[in-house]
Amino acid sequence: MKLKQLIGICGVLLFAACDTDIEPVDQRFVTPETQDPALWAQYMTCLAEYKQSEHYMTYARFDNAPERISSEKDCLRSMPDSLDIVALVNPLSTFDREDLAGVQAKSIKVLLIADCSDPATAVQNVDDAIAAIAADGLDGIVVSYTGAVSDEAKATETTIAARLAALDKIAIFDGNADFVAVENRDKYSYYILDASNIGTVFSLRSEVDYTIERLGIPAEKLMLAASPSAVILDETLEEQTALLEVARCVMAYGPLAGLGVYDISDDYYSASVNYPLAKSAINLLNPAYTE
């Protein structure tokens, strides 16, 4: 199932929901699902079929629950329907909980991040995340670790692996995969490699090679991620948007599992920056239209 049919149905729904007539009173906001329930049901069926089909996985890290919601970019419900996984940086807010069921209905897995970079708090952060996952009905956990791996960190990894073994949910690792002991690497469905601060595509390829060949992470489990604002030097040492180069690298290697988008809510709806970049990268991997 390609995205073309999905876009066509969604476009009809959005067009039908718009009313350009000016009414001084009794104005109502009509959502697509209430405007044409039958067409919306067809769209949701197509979306579910697409998520079950063979395609590159798409992952987004969402800095949810801000102190103040400034626009739709701060709302969980505004995540692109084409995403497979949304990883939440913070526990759910009241507004997130209101949006959760609608997002999960679109076959998007909603996970909670546990930052384990500090060994002193790593296990507690995982325990807190697991409790929140159970309380809010989330789909799994993202264990995050950045920086060099110390002996203290390795000790916490053993405890964290035991927690994951008891968690009947999706587990993803984001960061330095050297943190994960060899015997525990099959506990994670995917690994996220951050390419945001990698200077060139040559260095990115070296990092991918190291992760696959030296650490033994299967290519089909490895996702590459970058922020929309990040840049990278291409093969001719010309500066390019990192997300697009990362997407090309995903397709070139094996291929890899898919693409991650960091900082998706930072000015996500800019008319000329983040939204077009993220959309272009996702469409490069999973084209909406074919020749």
Side-chain angles (χ1 to χ4, degrees):
M1 170 65 67
K2 298 293 184 182
L3 288 177
K4 180 178 180 179
Q5 184 179 6
L6 298 176
I7 291 175
I9 295 173
C10 191
V12 171
L13 288 165
L14 292 174
F15 181 79
C18 296
D19 187 349
T20 56
D21 292 339
I22 298 176
E23 298 180 10
V25 294
D26 193 27
Q27 296 221 6
R28 294 176 298 149
F29 177 72
V30 182
T31 58
E33 61 267 31
T34 57
Q35 175 71 19
D36 192 329
L39 194 57
W40 179 255
Q42 182 184 351
Y43 170 71
M44 293 292 280
T45 297
C46 291
L47 187 60
E49 290 175 355
Y50 164 71
K51 297 293 178 69
Q52 292 295 321
S53 70
E54 184 177 350
H55 66 284
Y56 288 102
M57 299 294 290
T58 53
Y59 166 101
R61 189 169 65 189
F62 178 44
D63 194 358
N64 64 305
E67 291 185 4
R68 183 178 66 86
I69 293 179
S70 60
S71 69
E72 281 293 312
K73 73 182 180 65
D74 297 320
C75 299
L76 180 58
R77 63 174 175 263
S78 295
M79 292 295 98
D81 293 355
S82 58
L83 290 174
D84 295 286
I85 300 165
V86 173
L88 305 179
V89 174
N90 304 303
L92 270 69
S93 67
T94 300
F95 297 108
D96 292 332
R97 291 187 180 93
E98 291 176 356
D99 294 344
L100 180 61
V103 172
Q104 291 175 321
K106 295 176 181 178
S107 303
I108 297 174
K109 304 298 184 184
V110 182
L111 281 62
L112 186 59
I113 296 175
D115 186 357
C116 298
S117 301
D118 181 358
T121 60
V123 175
Q124 186 60 56
N125 287 347
V126 170
D127 287 341
D128 290 345
I130 290 174
I133 288 165
D136 290 316
L138 301 182
D139 300 294
I141 189 171
V142 178
V143 174
S144 173
Y145 186 93
T146 58
V149 181
S150 63
D151 290 340
E152 188 179 4
K154 290 180 180 179
T156 65
E157 191 275 337
T158 302
T159 304
I160 291 169
R163 298 291 200 274
L164 297 181
L167 179 67
D168 188 23
K169 299 279 187 177
I170 300 169
I172 292 176
F173 183 83
D174 189 341
N176 183 358
D178 196 35
F179 172 77
V180 184
V182 173
E183 62 271 19
N184 295 325
R185 287 181 181 157
D186 61 350
K187 291 181 171 59
Y188 296 96
S189 298
Y190 297 103
Y191 288 79
I192 313 296
L193 174 60
D194 185 2
S196 296
N197 298 312
I198 295 178
T200 70
V201 293
F202 302 108
S203 296
L204 174 57
R205 292 169 186 171
S206 294
E207 289 290 335
V208 173
D209 288 339
Y210 178 83
T211 303
I212 294 173
E213 296 173 10
R214 296 293 299 276
L215 298 183
I217 305 302
E220 63 270 16
K221 283 191 171 187
L222 184 60
M223 302 175 71
L224 305 182
S227 299
S229 60
V231 295
I232 194 170
L233 300 183
D234 64 15
E235 293 179 345
T236 65
L237 299 183
E238 293 290 329
E239 189 174 88
Q240 304 290 345
T241 299
L243 267 179
L244 296 177
E245 291 300 315
V246 166
R248 294 186 181 100
C249 188
V250 167
M251 293 187 290
Y253 269 86
L256 304 183
L259 175 73
V261 182
Y262 288 158
D263 307 320
I264 196 168
S265 62
D266 289 355
D267 199 26
Y268 184 70
Y269 287 96
S270 167
S272 61
V273 188
N274 285 21
Y275 178 75
L277 294 181
K279 180 175 180 290
S280 296
I282 292 172
N283 282 344
L284 184 62
L285 292 172
N286 298 311
Y289 297 90
T290 57
E291 296 294 338

